[in-house]
């Protein structure tokens, strides 16, 4: 016998299939509004209610009205403070308003049946319905049925929430990936660009595009000041003193929350320019610049994730800028070295490349610079058919300043020699001409002599230079020390003295600078004049060039690879007949 | 090596930029140059047709941000059209649809300029 329509088992069968259908429908959708609508309508049908409302819990503990049926428009979005929901189906009329002040809202809208929505033991919302038509109360069985519907509804809503949340998480992840892509791409590009202006522009584009800001101020540290490298602000650029204090920032901050430690508080000015956050550009723990950014165009606040991204981006940028700076420096250094090499060529050109050939004499000279340009000088200038001026000099100091003075003395001597005045007078004149050029801080040791090869005499003036050796064929040695004060210190007050020597066949004259006698080995031992004299005696028979080679070899042997700080210059004259 | 080219054409008072290829940090200066040229020539009604744009990075988006204000200050606009889903997703992810008019087709963007043009 089939069950009659009124029998409990038939009703139960009907309710089960209705529950099943309800569950199928709301679980097939991920559209929260569709689900809520279906829940409200199904329960309204079941309860024969004409008004219904659903409010869902939000993270902050408030309940927001999500949807209403049969109620005046405008309730959706209303917020309710509900501390504790009833644990099961409840009637507003039987609840204490004192304990549940929020029920007033429902009473006001004539909603008397309340059904809590609970999923995973969490209260996620509340359904409210007007009293059923006819005023009949709910049977126990009906209540159970409502609870089942509510339970299925709660799971469906919960699922919707989770899907939404998943969507959000996915979007956050996508954004993170986008950020990483940006960092990766910018890093790659930064590595290939060495023009600081172009680097800054790339940084700006990445900021604007990724963070979505349109107001910015990028300042970079230059010495102890901050220089504005790029900006787009509404108003005058802040004063450098104001920005200088920003170097104390070591982490990204909201400007209004920035802690001010310096004398000047930059916040009012920066905030007036609508700048909201400051992010340091750090290199090895030092703030080398600061990014200041205005509000995002979508008006969302800056999140910790934004600060992370900005910090990574600014690190990449500052490293690239530093690389560009170092590269620029290397180029400039190279340029300077190239120029020095040219200067060296010019300076070499100031020394005689070919020494005059004299019958009965041999002449040789050599100059080994320790730096690219140096301050040693030697010269051999024919005066007429039987006289030749030999000169050697050493400018104090090294490098470019010394080489400039060396060029100066070379020009002075070349200009004065043709006057054919006594060497003592010429020396006094050279000194007076040099003095204004040295600035009093530099000087020149100088020796020169006039070889008269017809009369076989050598007259000379020694202005504070290392005493040259005149090694006679008979083994005696004269040190040529007559003269006067070094050049360039003060105007000539005491006339220079002239020395003179007779020359005979086999005599050897050796002029040298202190780079020879003071050549150092690794133990800082000087080569010394004793050893020089010994070598001169030993090598005197090898001709002028031969003797220079022997002395140079001996110095090299002494130095044993130790770098020489001074130029080495020698000139040798030998009387051959 | 990423390739990026810009073709330019006139549609009456609207200037159309057709982007092709990869718009990234490396190629962004090219787009910047194009915008600078348009601003110099006082052309403020701009459609950027992205039909052949295969990739855009943040630096590329940054160029749009850098010029939109100047263009709008002169009563013009930069409208974007014909984006692939992949390119649109990047715009969307960074919130650009709020700030820019993005239309499926160039004609739609052109029509949206319509009112502004007749007002002149």
């Amino acid at each position: 016998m089939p069950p009659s329509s009124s029998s409990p088992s038939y009703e139960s069968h009907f309710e089960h299939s209705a529950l099943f259908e309800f569950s199928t429908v709301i679980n097939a959708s991920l559209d929260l509004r569709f689900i809520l609508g279906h829940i409200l309508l199904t329960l309204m049908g079941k309860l024969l209610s004409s008004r219904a409302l659903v409010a869902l819990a939000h993270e902050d503990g408030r309940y927001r009205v999500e949807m209403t049926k049969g109620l005046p428009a405008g309730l959706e979005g209303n917020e309710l403070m509900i501390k504790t929901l009833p644990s099961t189906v409840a009637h507003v009329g039987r609840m204490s308003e004192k304990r549940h002040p929020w029920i007033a809202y429902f009473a006001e809208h004539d909603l008397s049946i309340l059904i809590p929505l609970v999923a995973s033991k969490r209260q996620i919302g509340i359904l409210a319905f007007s009293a059923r038509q006819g005023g009949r109360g709910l049977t126990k069985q009906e209540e159970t049925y409502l609870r089942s519907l509510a339970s299925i509804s709660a799971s469906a809503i919960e699922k919707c929430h989770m899907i939404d949340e998943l969507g959000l998480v996915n979007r956050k992840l996508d954004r993170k990936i986008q950020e990483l892509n940006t960092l990766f791409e910018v890093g790659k590009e930064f590595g290939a660009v060495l023009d600081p202006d172009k680097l800054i522009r790339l940084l700006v584009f990445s900021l604007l595009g990724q963070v979505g800001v349109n107001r910015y101020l990028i300042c970079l540290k230059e010495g102890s000041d901050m220089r504005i490298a790029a900006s787009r602000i509404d108003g005058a650029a802040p004063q450098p003193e104001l920005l200088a204090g920003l170097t104390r920032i070591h982490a990204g901050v909201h400007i209004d929350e920035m802690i001010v430690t310096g004398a000047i508080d930059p916040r009012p000015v920066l905030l007036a320019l609508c700048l909201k956050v400051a992010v340091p550009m750090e290199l090895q723990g030092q703030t080398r610049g600061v990014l200041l950014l205005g509000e995002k165009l979508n008006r969302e606040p800056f999140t910790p994730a934004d600060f992370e991204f900005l910090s990574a981006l600014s690190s990449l940028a500052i490293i690239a800028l530093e690389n560009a700076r170092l590269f620029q420096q290397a180029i400039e250094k190279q340029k300077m070295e190239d120029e020095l090499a040219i200067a060296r060529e010019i300076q070499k050109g100031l020394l005689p490349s070919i020494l005059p050939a004299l019958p009965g004499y041999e002449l040789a000279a050599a100059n080994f610079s320790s730096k690219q340009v140096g301050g040693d000088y030697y010269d051999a200038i024919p005066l007429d058919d039987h006289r030749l001026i030999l000169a050697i000099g050493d400018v104090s100091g090294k490098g470019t300043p010394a080489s400039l003075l060396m060029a100066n003395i070379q020009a002075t001597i070349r200009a004065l020699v043709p006057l054919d005045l006594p060497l003592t007078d010429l020396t006094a004149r050279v000194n007076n001409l040099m003095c204004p050029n040295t600035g009093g801080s530099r000087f020149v040791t100088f020796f020169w002599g006039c070889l008269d090869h017809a009369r076989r005499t050598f007259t000379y003036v020694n202005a504070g230079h290392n005493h040259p050796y005149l090694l006679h064929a008979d083994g005696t040695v004269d040190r040529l020390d007559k003269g006067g004060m070094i050049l360039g210190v003060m105007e000539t007050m005491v006339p220079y003295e002239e020395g003179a020597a007779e020359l005979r066949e086999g005599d050897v004259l050796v002029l040298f600078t202190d780079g020879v006698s003071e050549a150092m080995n690794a133990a800082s031992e000087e080569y010394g004049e004793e050893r020089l004299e010994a070598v001169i005696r030993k090598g005197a028979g090898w001709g002028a060039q031969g003797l220079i080679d022997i002395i140079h070899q001996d110095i090299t042997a002494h130095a044993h690879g130790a770098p020489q700080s001074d130029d080495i210059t020698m000139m040798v004259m030998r009387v051959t007949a | 090596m990423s390739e990026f080219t810009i073709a330019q054409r006139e549609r009456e008072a609207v200037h159309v930029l057709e982007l092709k290829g990869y718009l990234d940090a490396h190629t962004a200066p090219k787009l910047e140059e194009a915008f600078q040229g348009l601003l110099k020539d006082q052309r403020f009604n701009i459609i950027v047709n992205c039909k052949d744009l295969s990739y855009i990075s943040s630096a590329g988006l940054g160029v749009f941000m850098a010029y939109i204000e100047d263009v709008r200050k002169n009563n013009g606009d930069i409208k974007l059209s014909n984006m692939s889903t992949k390119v649109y997703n990047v715009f969307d992810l960074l919130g650009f649809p709020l700030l820019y008019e993005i239309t499926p087709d160039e004609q739609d963007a052109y029509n949206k300029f319509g009112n502004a043009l007749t007002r002149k």
Side-chain angles (χ1 to χ4, degrees):
Chain A
M1 198 173 102
S4 79
S5 63
S6 60
S7 76
S9 66
Y10 177 80
E11 219 162 86
S12 151
H13 173 74
F14 174 79
E15 287 185 345
H16 277 132
S17 52
L19 271 179
F20 178 71
E21 193 202 320
F22 175 74
S23 166
T24 311
V25 170
I26 63 169
N27 277 307
S29 173
L30 290 174
D31 177 354
L32 185 64
R33 284 197 69 79
F34 171 82
I35 292 170
L36 294 177
H38 194 71
I39 292 168
L40 290 184
L41 291 175
T42 304
L43 274 96
M44 283 165 85
K46 179 72 196 164
L47 287 167
L48 300 173
S49 286
S50 55
R51 291 183 298 281
L53 173 153
V54 54
L56 296 182
H58 284 263
E59 272 170 28
D60 54 4
R62 287 167 197 275
Y63 283 71
R64 196 161 64 214
V65 177
E66 301 288 343
M67 189 178 280
T68 61
K69 299 279 181 199
L71 284 164
L75 296 184
E76 283 179 21
N78 280 2
E79 288 196 340
L80 307 171
M81 285 303 296
I82 302 178
K83 235 184 182 158
T84 331
L85 284 179
S87 54
T88 180
V89 179
H91 295 267
V92 171
R94 286 181 220 148
M95 290 166 74
S96 141
E97 198 171 328
K98 214 169 171 185
R99 274 184 58 203
H100 305 287
W102 48 272
I103 60 171
Y105 181 84
F106 293 93
E108 184 192 328
H109 294 103
D110 215 2
L111 298 164
S112 55
I113 303 169
L114 302 179
I115 307 171
L117 290 168
V118 179
S120 329
K121 293 187 180 161
R122 251 177 354 105
Q123 299 181 342
I124 64 162
I126 185 163
L127 298 167
F129 299 91
S130 58
R132 61 194 314 180
Q133 307 254 313
R136 190 163 56 84
L138 295 169
T139 64
K140 240 195 164 96
Q141 201 178 359
E142 279 170 327
E143 269 199 32
T144 313
Y145 182 65
L146 286 179
R147 279 208 304 273
S148 303
L149 279 176
S151 163
I152 294 167
S153 301
S155 321
I157 292 167
E158 180 83 339
K159 190 179 76 185
C160 253
H161 280 333
M162 271 155 72
I163 297 282
D164 279 355
E165 208 162 298
L166 202 63
L168 271 177
V169 169
N170 255 330
R171 210 172 152 79
K172 267 190 192 162
L173 200 64
D174 278 350
R175 227 192 120 84
K176 216 64 197 171
I177 290 172
Q178 174 69 22
E179 281 176 2
L180 285 175
N181 273 337
T182 300
L183 289 177
F184 176 69
E185 183 193 300
V186 165
K188 205 171 62 175
E189 194 59 24
F190 273 176
V193 174
L194 289 165
D195 171 3
D197 293 338
K198 207 175 162 200
L199 282 171
I200 291 285
R201 278 224 309 289
L202 269 180
L203 171 65
V204 166
F205 286 151
S206 302
L207 276 177
L208 298 191
Q210 184 73 41
V211 189
V213 293
N214 222 349
R215 290 288 174 273
Y216 56 87
L217 185 84
I218 300 174
C219 28
L220 295 175
K221 206 171 167 188
E222 235 168 46
S224 57
D225 290 334
M226 287 284 244
R227 178 180 65 84
I228 295 175
S231 71
R232 188 183 188 115
I233 42 174
D234 302 311
Q239 295 300 310
E241 309 85 71
L242 195 106
L243 297 172
L246 295 176
T247 49
R248 279 185 283 264
I249 301 178
H250 290 286
V253 284
H254 288 96
I255 289 171
D256 52 6
E257 292 168 7
M258 200 161 81
I259 295 162
V260 178
T261 51
I264 311 172
D265 182 354
R267 291 175 302 180
V269 173
L270 298 180
L271 291 170
L273 290 169
C274 295
L275 296 169
K276 300 288 181 203
V277 299
V279 179
M281 301 173 80
E282 283 194 303
L283 189 68
Q284 290 159 348
Q286 279 194 321
T287 303
R288 301 287 288 266
V290 177
L291 300 180
L292 298 163
L293 304 180
E295 192 173 27
K296 290 193 205 174
L297 291 189
N298 60 15
R299 309 210 173 266
E300 279 175 20
F302 283 84
T303 62
D306 288 328
F307 280 113
E308 264 170 43
F309 170 78
L310 288 169
S311 157
L313 183 67
S314 58
S315 292
L316 284 177
I318 201 71
I319 290 168
L321 285 166
E322 180 68 3
N323 279 343
R325 195 182 65 82
L326 292 175
F327 183 73
Q328 200 60 37
Q329 238 175 31
I331 285 181
E332 270 159 28
K333 189 161 173 259
Q334 182 61 48
K335 208 168 120 193
M336 202 172 245
E337 274 170 10
D338 290 349
E339 276 173 11
L340 268 179
I342 295 168
R344 178 191 174 85
E345 282 311 301
I346 292 172
Q347 199 186 25
K348 282 253 173 213
L350 297 180
L351 301 175
S353 53
I354 302 166
L355 296 170
L358 293 174
Y361 294 86
E362 270 180 12
L363 203 55
N367 166 255
F368 308 95
S369 286
S370 62
K371 291 222 165 76
Q372 274 178 307
V373 290
D376 277 11
Y377 166 61
Y378 70 87
D379 215 338
I381 313 161
L383 203 52
D384 51 32
D385 61 356
H386 64 282
R387 285 181 304 162
L388 176 68
I389 300 288
L390 300 178
I392 190 163
D394 182 357
V395 179
S396 68
K398 298 177 183 72
T400 314
S403 76
L404 285 172
L405 267 182
M406 175 271 182
N408 190 243
I409 193 166
Q410 186 263 2
T412 308
I413 282 162
R414 286 264 167 172
L416 290 181
V417 161
L419 297 179
D420 197 6
L421 296 172
L423 274 185
T424 46
D425 290 3
L426 280 182
T427 310
R429 282 198 189 199
V430 170
N431 178 47
N432 289 346
L433 287 169
M434 288 301 295
C435 271
N437 301 340
T438 58
S441 62
R442 290 175 183 276
F443 58 88
V444 184
T445 68
F446 185 68
F447 173 94
W448 59 349
C450 176
L451 167 68
D452 187 330
H453 46 94
R455 296 158 67 186
R456 295 208 166 209
T457 57
F458 188 72
T459 52
Y460 68 90
V461 172
N462 189 337
H465 194 74
N466 301 64
H467 304 163
Y469 288 92
L470 178 57
L471 174 65
H472 295 289
D474 61 9
T476 55
V477 164
D478 284 330
R479 300 298 298 270
L480 310 185
D481 56 358
K482 293 265 180 322
M485 211 176 59
I486 48 176
L487 306 183
V489 176
M490 52 157 74
E491 298 230 338
T492 312
M493 316 273 274
V494 183
Y496 285 91
E497 264 188 277
E498 187 177 80
E502 301 272 315
L503 299 174
R504 283 180 292 275
E505 188 181 335
D507 286 359
V508 175
L509 173 68
V510 180
L511 315 180
F512 62 96
T513 57
D514 60 7
V516 173
S517 52
E518 293 169 13
M520 297 275 189
N521 64 9
S524 294
E525 289 160 347
E526 286 186 3
Y527 180 67
E529 292 202 347
E530 247 170 70
R531 183 159 171 181
L532 176 61
E533 189 178 326
V535 170
I536 292 171
R537 285 180 186 281
K538 216 166 63 189
W542 289 92
Q545 187 60 50
L547 179 55
I548 282 183
D549 293 343
I550 286 166
I551 297 170
H552 189 236
Q553 274 167 26
D554 197 47
I555 294 169
T556 310
H558 167 75
H560 202 71
Q564 295 304 304
S565 64
D566 213 349
D567 295 358
I568 292 172
T569 306
M570 291 177 269
M571 184 146 65
V572 172
M573 183 197 72
R574 185 163 173 265
V575 188
T576 54
Chain B
M1 201 63 226
S2 49
E3 282 291 325
F4 177 70
T5 54
I6 304 171
Q8 307 205 18
R9 64 187 152 82
E10 302 288 338
R11 280 188 73 175
E12 289 168 35
V14 177
H15 200 91
V16 181
L17 298 181
E18 287 179 5
L19 310 188
K20 187 174 181 173
Y22 278 70
L23 177 53
D24 56 15
H26 187 67
T27 57
K30 265 194 194 176
L31 181 62
E32 189 193 13
E33 218 172 90
F35 277 131
Q36 277 170 347
L38 291 179
L39 260 62
K40 213 179 98 221
D41 298 343
Q42 304 273 309
R43 298 185 172 282
F44 303 118
N45 295 324
I46 304 164
I47 294 176
V48 179
N49 185 324
C50 306
K51 184 163 70 75
D52 296 318
L53 186 65
S54 37
Y55 173 81
I56 186 162
S57 78
S58 297
L61 296 176
V63 182
F64 289 103
M65 292 288 281
Y67 287 93
I68 187 70
E69 220 165 281
D70 289 341
V71 169
R72 287 189 181 153
K73 224 185 287 165
N74 287 287
N75 297 314
D77 197 14
I78 301 173
K79 298 187 198 294
L80 300 126
S81 77
N82 302 75
M83 273 181 205
S84 69
T85 315
K86 191 177 148 199
V87 168
Y88 180 79
N89 282 344
V90 178
F91 273 89
D92 185 39
L93 205 54
L94 299 171
F96 273 59
L98 277 176
L99 314 170
Y100 292 82
E101 206 144 23
I102 302 176
T103 64
D105 193 67
E106 185 189 313
Q107 187 60 41
D108 303 335
Y110 183 78
N111 294 344
K112 291 200 176 195
F113 270 119
N115 291 333
L117 298 181
T118 46
R119 234 185 286 132
K120 272 188 180 173

